Each structure stands twice: as structure tokens, then as C-alpha cells.
Amino acid sequence: MSASGGTRAIVAALAANLAIAVAKFVAFIFSGSSSMLAESVHSLADSGNQGLLLLGGKKAQREATPQHPFGYGRERYVYAFLVSIVLFSVGGMFAVYEGYEKIKDPHEIEAWYWPIGVLVFAIIAESFSFRTAIKESNQIRGNLSWKDFIRRAKAPELPVVLLEDFGALIGLVLALGGVGLALATGDGVWDGIGTLCIGLLLIVIAIVLAAETKSLLLGEAAGTEDVDKIKNALVDGDVVTGIIHMRTLHLGPEELLVAAKIAVEHDDTAAEVADAINAAEARIRAAVPIARVIYLEPDIYNAAAAAAGVNPAKSPGDSGH
């Protein structure tokens, strides 16, 4: 990640959402628009979510302890998962409830210029926040599509901010449409329908976020590119002749655990094997700097076992011996 890039995107989104939340709530007070109330709660929930992401990033920086020997890197995943819960409950479910109530008992929108003006301001502010998130994401996205970036990113902050800002912009358009139709027809039901659509949108985004962060919490392996780099760095063709099987696991967005059983020849001395392991660890760290915890176990390559077929102990996708 850039942790710094993620932090810049979070701070930009936090500043925008706090300003927008206040403006929307003022517009609700003067107009009585349920879309404005739902959108103000949405922006307030987003502000709290960005606070959670910043808190998770801070807590993840703590040093490892005897009780948590691999550190606290996964705290960032925990807080990202909390964001999905807040977005679902505080944002989505509240908007659905408010929309249902407004449809059941519609009220005419008063002082129409308040919600219209605030929504236009909010769209501009959210666009700047979304632009910042896109700019920071592009620095690490590479050739991945946006869908693949959100699915494969190991650092949760940028995908969360991207989805939140994207959802916020669509929600603002829905709110603008609901308020506009309510004003044009004189029927407040349209305001409620807009609010209900905002709630359903937030629930869908929250479910996507929950699914992605759940996968990170369970523990994901390194990406294909990093796995290939590690394999190429492991084998020196001299003492380390092959990889019997290998596992990788993200301990956090910027910390990777590598565990592998490597093949050596039966007549290699202990000193030669130890030197080869140290050299292999150095090559891995040079190739993939986030590989900070490395465990290598030497074993004698067994040609008969390799010829017998797939090794059930190897990592999925490995072509190990």
C-alpha cells in the first residue's frame, strides 16, 4: 500500500463526509426530506467508518508480544469488517426503515432549495474524495481491473473507501432523483422511494465489503505474482534443488509468512544446508520485501515419491515434488 496512500484517501473521505453530514442534517431540518435524513445518517456512518479505519491502522502498528508473536497486522482487517457492519446496520437498515415510513406516510417537502443545494454540494465534495481514492489506488492497482483490485487487495482501506465513496455518489443521485420527483409531482412518496433505494444500495455494498474482509480475516495466501517470485528465489540449483511444498499467509497487509519444505541432496553437510537456507531467506526478502517471517525445512528429495504423483501436502496450485 501504501499505508500513506490509504491514509490520505481516508482523511479526504473523512473531511468530506463530516462536512456533508452537517449540511444534509441542516437541509433535513428545514425541508423535512426523509432522503436528507437518510443521507445525513449515511454520511455520519461513513465518517465513523473512516475513524475505524484510522484506528485499525494505528493499532496494527503495535509491536509483537509473547501472546501475539506475529504482531497485530490483522487488526486492519478486523476494523474493516466492523465498517461493513456499521454500513449495513446504521446506514442501510436505517435508510430502509426511513424510506418505508415515508412511503407509508408521505409528507410534502418544504424549502426545496435546501435539499437541492446540499445534494449538489455533497456530489461535488464526494467527487473530490472519490477522485483521491482512485488516484491513490491507481498507484498500486497495476493492470488489475477495479473488480479484481477490490477482490485481491490485501490492504483493506482503499477498497473500503472506494466502495463507500462510489456508494455515496450513487446514493446522492438517488436522493436527488427522489427529491426532484417529489417536488415535480407534489407527492412525497417519491422521496421515500429514493430513501429506500439508498438503503438497499448500502446493504449491497456492506455485504460485498463483509465478504471480502472475511476472506482476509480467515487468512489469504500471497498473490500469484509474489508466489512465483518466492519460488524463483528459493531454488539456487546448487544446494536447494527444488520445493517439496510451500505455504504463504498474510499476517497483515504488509507482512507475509512463508513456510516451505525444500529439497536438498543427501550428501550435503549440515553447514552447507544452513548456509543455503540463510541465502534463500535473503533472496526471498530481496524479491518480496513483505516476506518478513520465513520458515524453511530441508528434506531429502525422493524421486520415487515424486514419480508416484501429486504430493497431498503441497500447497494448492504448487507443482512441487
Side-chain angles (χ1 to χ4, degrees):
M1 190 179 162
S2 64
S4 59
T7 300
R8 279 193 294 271
I10 295 170
V11 171
L14 177 60
N17 280 315
L18 285 174
I20 292 169
V22 172
K24 288 174 180 175
F25 192 71
V26 171
F28 160 70
I29 292 174
F30 283 97
S31 68
S33 167
S34 68
S35 291
M36 284 293 91
L37 179 59
E39 276 294 309
S40 65
V41 173
H42 174 193
S43 294
L44 194 61
D46 280 353
S47 300
N49 288 341
Q50 276 112 42
L52 285 172
L53 292 175
L54 290 172
L55 179 62
K58 183 70 174 177
K59 285 184 170 291
Q61 295 173 6
R62 289 179 293 170
E63 295 293 330
T65 64
Q67 188 176 7
H68 296 92
F70 292 116
Y72 292 86
R74 286 195 185 181
E75 288 247 25
R76 287 165 66 178
Y77 302 150
V78 172
Y79 281 86
F81 189 75
L82 290 176
V83 164
S84 67
I85 295 174
V86 172
L87 195 62
F88 179 87
S89 57
V90 178
M93 295 305 293
F94 176 83
V96 168
Y97 170 77
E98 184 64 23
Y100 169 76
E101 288 295 317
K102 186 71 174 186
I103 292 171
K104 188 172 69 172
D105 185 21
H107 299 286
E108 185 178 349
I109 295 177
E110 302 172 1
W112 61 268
Y113 42 84
W114 275 100
I116 297 296
V118 166
L119 285 171
V120 171
F121 162 74
I123 288 173
I124 294 171
E126 284 288 1
S127 296
F128 277 109
S129 173
F130 192 39
R131 178 177 175 272
T132 301
I134 290 174
K135 181 180 178 182
E136 299 300 335
S137 298
N138 278 334
Q139 295 180 10
I140 60 173
R141 183 167 65 96
N143 296 322
L144 292 175
S145 66
W146 286 109
K147 177 183 176 182
D148 287 340
F149 173 69
I150 289 171
R151 292 188 61 189
R152 298 183 189 180
K154 305 305 181 185
E157 291 85 357
L158 283 173
V160 168
V161 174
L162 279 168
L163 284 175
E164 278 190 347
D165 286 350
F166 179 69
L169 283 170
I170 295 179
L172 288 167
V173 172
L174 291 173
L176 190 60
V179 171
L181 286 171
L183 292 171
T185 62
D187 189 352
V189 167
W190 288 108
D191 187 30
I193 292 174
T195 306
L196 186 63
C197 290
I198 291 168
L200 295 175
L201 170 69
L202 294 179
I203 288 173
V204 170
I205 291 175
I207 291 172
V208 172
L209 281 177
E212 295 305 320
T213 51
K214 173 193 170 187
S215 179
L216 292 169
L217 277 170
L218 290 174
E220 288 190 356
T224 304
E225 184 178 342
D226 282 343
V227 169
D228 290 340
K229 289 179 180 178
I230 292 169
K231 288 180 178 179
N232 292 333
L234 259 177
V235 180
D236 62 7
D238 182 15
V239 179
V240 182
T241 59
I243 302 170
I244 298 174
H245 61 78
M246 184 177 80
R247 301 284 190 274
T248 61
L249 178 68
H250 269 273
L251 302 174
E254 285 113 25
E255 188 168 14
L256 186 66
L257 181 148
V258 178
K261 179 175 284 191
I262 55 177
V264 297
E265 298 297 336
H266 65 84
D267 55 351
D268 290 330
T269 67
E272 288 174 335
V273 171
D275 288 342
I277 288 175
N278 291 334
E281 290 179 354
R283 291 194 301 271
I284 290 172
R285 291 192 172 98
V288 183
I290 65 171
R292 299 177 186 172
V293 182
I294 303 173
Y295 297 108
L296 301 180
E297 177 188 355
D299 201 353
I300 304 300
Y301 174 72
N302 189 323
V310 176
N311 184 343
K314 72 182 182 67
S315 296
D318 269 359
S319 57
H321 304 298

